[in-house]
Amino acid sequence: MIGRRRPPLPANGSLRAGAGAGGPTAMKIDIRYQPSYSLAIVGLEPEESVQAEAGAMVSMTSNIQIETGMKGGILGAVTRSVLGGETLFANTFTSKGAPGEITLAPILPGDIAALRINNETLLVQSGSFLASAPAIDLDLKWGGARTFFGSEGLFLLKASGSGPIVICSYGAIHKVTLDGRAPYICDTGHVVAFTQGLGFDVRRVGGWKSTLLSGEGLVCEFRGAGDLYLQTRSTQAFLSWLIPRLPGRSGGGGGTASGVLGNILRGD
């Protein structure tokens, strides 16, 4: 049904853009502390740049200069922010006068994968884009009524061009390579990214009873040949567990074991 399954990078792995990345860039990306609290260490040559999601910077050398701009201009940035759930701004970090280094991390605990695309398109779920070479064009793709529902949004980030791109997840990243001979099914909340060669439909996991009572909800059925990146945890599933345990407005204070801590201590 599927072809080879291989991880995007080994633990503490690295990726050097260049050959096969569609450009002369020497950018080096090392991924550390996988899969729970991953950190991307990006090495830049003089005057080399990397574009990153706003708020992704953890640390950098003193010769790195930052420039903040809207993704794809004002119209594209506002569209992505309002309709796609993406942040309005992106930062471009440039190493000035000498080689530099910047470290990047996502908001949620989880994994990071550094990929190369060469005149290709990668579709990334909202919130899973971390960084890329400036040559990578970021746009919004409307998936129509068949696309992801609820918290996953109706839009996908479309990354096109040649060069390295860094994606992130909640939990570890699991890569599945489809050979086109049979469809592959996954929960909508676990999709991180997929190559443009894959088409998908969103459907119920079974009948309405199964959809409402099984806890599985809606699933994506992918078809075609290409790579699919999944996250081993779902933010929606975590929130569904967490929110009922939050203290209410009237009963949030007092007590030796109240609120979330009390629930945990009681084993709820």
Side-chain angles (χ1 to χ4, degrees):
M1 180 176 68
I2 56 177
R4 294 176 297 164
R5 296 187 182 186
R6 57 187 187 275
L9 281 175
N12 296 335
S14 64
L15 180 149
R16 183 179 292 278
T25 179
M27 183 189 302
K28 181 180 180 181
I29 305 171
D30 290 326
I31 312 296
R32 304 283 180 89
Y33 318 118
Q34 292 174 292
S36 299
Y37 298 98
S38 300
L39 180 74
I41 305 172
V42 182
L44 300 173
E45 293 298 314
E47 309 307 318
E48 189 177 21
S49 300
V50 60
Q51 61 178 348
E53 188 73 357
M57 191 273 290
V58 175
S59 64
M60 61 185 181
T61 54
S62 59
N63 65 318
I64 299 287
Q65 292 187 4
I66 179 174
E67 181 179 351
T68 301
M70 291 187 173
K71 299 177 185 175
I74 295 176
L75 182 59
V78 171
T79 301
R80 272 187 293 272
S81 178
V82 174
L83 299 180
E86 298 290 332
T87 55
L88 193 62
F89 297 96
N91 296 321
T92 299
F93 299 90
T94 304
S95 182
K96 293 293 185 180
E101 180 183 280
I102 180 171
T103 63
L104 305 168
I107 296 174
L108 296 173
D111 209 352
I112 296 174
L115 316 173
R116 293 186 185 97
I117 58 175
N118 185 17
N119 293 321
E120 299 170 279
T121 294
L122 186 72
L123 297 170
V124 184
Q125 186 62 285
S126 176
S128 292
F129 170 81
L130 187 64
S132 72
I136 300 295
D137 181 62
L138 303 177
D139 203 353
L140 201 65
K141 179 178 175 61
W142 161 247
R146 67 195 179 102
T147 191
F148 305 154
F149 295 92
S151 64
E152 282 77 41
L154 294 172
F155 294 85
L156 297 165
L157 190 67
K158 182 179 178 181
S160 303
S162 298
I165 179 170
V166 184
I167 58 175
C168 57
S169 66
Y170 177 47
I173 291 179
H174 176 61
K175 180 181 178 181
V176 180
T177 299
L178 280 69
D179 58 17
R181 289 185 291 178
Y184 192 76
I185 297 170
C186 63
D187 185 278
T188 57
H190 287 266
V191 177
V192 173
F194 54 94
T195 53
Q196 197 175 28
L198 294 177
F200 67 91
D201 289 297
V202 174
R203 63 174 177 82
R204 301 192 305 270
V205 69
W208 282 112
K209 181 179 178 181
S210 296
T211 301
L212 295 174
L213 302 179
S214 68
E216 298 302 328
L218 297 169
V219 295
C220 278
E221 184 172 284
F222 285 91
R223 293 183 176 86
D227 294 327
L228 171 64
Y229 297 88
L230 305 175
Q231 57 186 9
T232 60
R233 298 294 182 268
S234 165
T235 53
Q236 184 62 31
F238 174 66
L239 290 174
S240 296
W241 173 88
L242 177 64
I243 290 174
R245 290 166 171 80
L246 293 175
R249 292 182 179 179
S250 60
T256 57
S258 62
V260 177
L261 179 58
N263 290 330
I264 294 173
L265 294 176
R266 289 192 299 269
D268 293 343

